[in-house]
Amino acid sequence: MNLRSKDLISIKDISADEIGHILETAAGFKDVLGRDIKKVPALRGKTTVNLFYEPSTRTRTSFEVAAKRLSTDVINIATSTSSVVKGETLLDTAKTVLALGADIVVIRHKCSGTPHFLARNIDASVVNAGDGTNEHPTQALLDLFTMKEHKGGIQGLEVAIVGDILHSRVAKSNIYALTKLGAKVRLIGPPTFVPDCLKGLGVDLYTDMNAGLEGVDVIMMLRIQLERQGKGFFPSTQEYFRNWGLTAARVSRAKKDAIIMHPGPMNRGIEIASEVADSSRSVILDQVTNGIAVRMAVLYLVSGVRE
């Protein structure tokens, strides 16, 4: 089984069965990462281009490592040092990388919808590595993989997503994925970050942190995305932490075996206390490791290579 599309643009575009297949494929690739030789020839002869219009450490590096583990040739293009600064359009840049022999283009862009546009206009496979405030599908997939690894499954889990929901593409992709697989999702944050319009996504909204965390299986903290918002969403970072920061006392409201997640980068002392981020319940570093296996699975499946 391969994905129905040559691209992975949105969690909304793929079925629960396809999500399950990606996670199963990722499990196989995670076994590969545990070997002495952490490389397979699955995509030998293919070329992957990482085209990032926004800063990134974890996602870009994760895609690069994933591609190399599959034996593809990797080209990294940082637009701040490319012809983009001279006025080259996205489509012209894409056509240039295609002329270089790209089979897969991994793109991150500040404008929502950019990966959709690119996928419609080039023959290479396109993978969305984050578009504006819209979606970040591979982050949601690695989050699902991590939850499944620690909890045994997704259906029936009570998952609390805490923080800047309004501006978070990670939150949106996770909401689509979790509800599609039968989890119950709670969104927690200041009223400015969890507006009533989000109820249409089939989630429960909380502005009280203690009430929202009561009895949950998973706590997913989000970074406050100051670069995507103006002033006035909350009075100060100190007050934000006082009301919505994750402390050990607040973790105790969740189930005893609840896990703590964060997509990174973390703002310690603003959205999460260091003692919580570094605790035995934290699976934040597991998310980073699992990201490689999941992105290997995605690159492999969109490439159309037959098993």
Side-chain angles (χ1 to χ4, degrees):
M1 172 182 172
N2 288 70
L3 295 177
R4 289 173 297 171
S5 170
K6 71 177 180 67
D7 313 300
L8 179 63
I9 305 300
S10 167
I11 292 293
K12 289 189 290 187
D13 295 339
I14 58 178
S15 67
D17 285 344
E18 286 177 300
I19 291 174
H21 183 55
I22 293 170
L23 300 184
E24 288 172 10
T25 306
F29 283 129
K30 188 167 184 183
D31 288 341
V32 171
L33 297 178
R35 301 175 187 171
D36 290 335
I37 299 176
K38 302 174 176 62
K39 201 167 187 178
V40 291
L43 295 185
R44 186 168 52 196
K46 301 279 187 180
T47 299
T48 298
V49 173
N50 292 321
L51 184 58
F52 278 61
Y53 284 78
E54 284 187 314
S56 173
T57 300
R58 288 163 186 76
T59 302
R60 189 196 61 77
T61 305
S62 182
F63 268 111
E64 181 178 358
V65 173
K68 288 179 176 178
R69 293 286 184 261
L70 292 167
S71 301
T72 75
D73 297 318
V74 181
I75 301 171
N76 293 311
I77 298 179
T79 57
S80 60
T81 56
S82 73
S83 293
V84 170
V85 298
K86 300 177 182 178
E88 186 173 64
T89 67
L90 169 66
L91 198 52
D92 284 337
T93 299
K95 288 178 178 178
T96 298
V97 299
L98 287 181
L100 294 172
D103 299 287
I104 303 169
V105 177
V106 179
I107 183 166
R108 168 170 286 191
H109 203 282
K110 65 181 180 181
C111 294
S112 299
T114 299
H116 296 78
F117 168 79
L118 197 60
R120 288 196 303 268
N121 285 280
I122 66 173
D123 293 330
S125 294
V126 176
V127 177
N128 182 2
D131 62 324
T133 59
N134 182 40
E135 277 212 53
H136 193 350
T138 60
Q139 179 67 46
L141 290 167
L142 74 88
D143 290 341
L144 290 176
F145 187 92
T146 305
M147 289 181 213
K148 188 175 179 183
E149 193 173 58
H150 286 271
K151 292 296 178 182
I154 305 298
Q155 187 169 7
L157 287 181
E158 292 275 358
V159 181
I161 305 178
V162 185
D164 188 0
I165 312 293
L166 183 64
H167 301 97
S168 176
R169 54 197 176 201
V170 172
K172 293 180 182 70
S173 285
N174 266 290
I175 291 166
Y176 301 142
L178 287 164
T179 54
K180 197 169 280 194
L181 295 187
K184 298 177 181 178
V185 180
R186 306 178 188 182
L187 307 181
I188 309 171
T192 49
F193 283 163
V194 286
D196 286 343
C197 62
L198 294 175
K199 288 181 180 177
L201 298 177
V203 298
D204 295 320
L205 308 184
Y206 292 82
T207 55
D208 183 282
M209 185 74 158
N210 290 330
L213 293 180
E214 198 69 46
V216 299
D217 299 286
V218 179
I219 305 171
M220 182 183 298
M221 302 304 295
L222 299 175
R223 182 175 65 87
I224 298 173
Q225 302 195 35
L226 297 173
E227 73 276 17
R228 299 189 197 281
Q229 59 184 256
K231 296 180 179 180
F233 282 90
F234 54 90
S236 67
T237 53
Q238 291 84 357
E239 183 164 334
Y240 183 88
F241 183 73
R242 191 180 308 120
N243 289 287
W244 296 285
L246 189 63
T247 61
R250 287 181 173 141
V251 171
S252 68
R253 298 271 182 170
K255 289 182 182 175
K256 290 184 178 180
D257 61 348
I259 59 173
I260 297 161
M261 307 178 72
H262 196 301
M266 289 185 288
N267 292 310
R268 292 171 181 259
I270 297 178
E271 67 238 6
I272 188 168
S274 287
E275 64 175 327
V276 175
D278 300 328
S279 71
S280 59
R281 292 196 185 198
S282 171
V283 297
I284 295 169
L285 293 180
D286 290 350
Q287 290 174 265
V288 176
T289 302
N290 290 339
I292 298 172
V294 167
R295 288 171 176 131
M296 287 176 72
V298 167
L299 294 175
Y300 175 75
L301 292 170
V302 299
S303 73
V305 173
R306 295 299 168 192
E307 296 166 300

